[in-house]
Amino acid sequence: MSDTEATPDDVRHVAELARVDLDEDEVDEFADQFADILDYFDALDEVPTVEREADLVNVMRPDEVREGLTQDEALANADETEDGYFKGPNVS
């Protein structure tokens, strides 16, 4: 069990933000689980700090300029286009 308190109201608030409907049994269960998760975050305070950053090396290849598709080629397999662009579903 956790020392950090996560109240049922906290769980209801998070569930509302996530648009998730929870019954009272689930609220109580998630309150315990949230508290345990918060304890894991508290444990991060015990991680020692590093004096300096490690020597980082970029392992990615350099960019290469090469010929791409024309606009017509790119749109050739699109279900719908509009004014030379891909047309997707409306997002509400």
Side-chain angles (χ1 to χ4, degrees):
M1 196 64 158
S2 138
D3 294 333
T4 306
E5 185 175 340
T7 66
D9 287 338
D10 294 332
V11 174
R12 286 185 197 94
H13 177 69
V14 172
E16 181 181 328
L17 292 174
R19 298 181 180 159
V20 175
D21 292 325
L22 299 176
D23 61 33
E24 284 306 308
D25 291 335
E26 292 172 316
V27 168
D28 293 335
E29 179 181 349
F30 285 128
D32 292 338
Q33 291 178 5
F34 281 7
D36 290 339
I37 291 169
L38 292 173
D39 279 346
Y40 287 118
F41 280 101
D42 289 341
L44 292 176
D45 292 336
E46 299 171 15
V47 174
T49 58
V50 177
E51 293 297 320
R52 67 179 194 92
E53 290 187 25
D55 296 329
L56 301 176
V57 177
N58 188 353
V59 296
M60 299 179 73
R61 64 170 174 74
D63 290 337
E64 296 176 11
V65 177
R66 55 184 172 163
E67 199 63 34
L69 299 174
T70 66
Q71 188 171 10
D72 289 334
E73 291 171 329
L75 296 173
N77 292 323
D79 290 337
E80 286 189 69
T81 63
E82 185 175 293
D83 299 326
Y85 297 97
F86 291 102
K87 183 175 180 184
N90 291 336
V91 177
S92 57

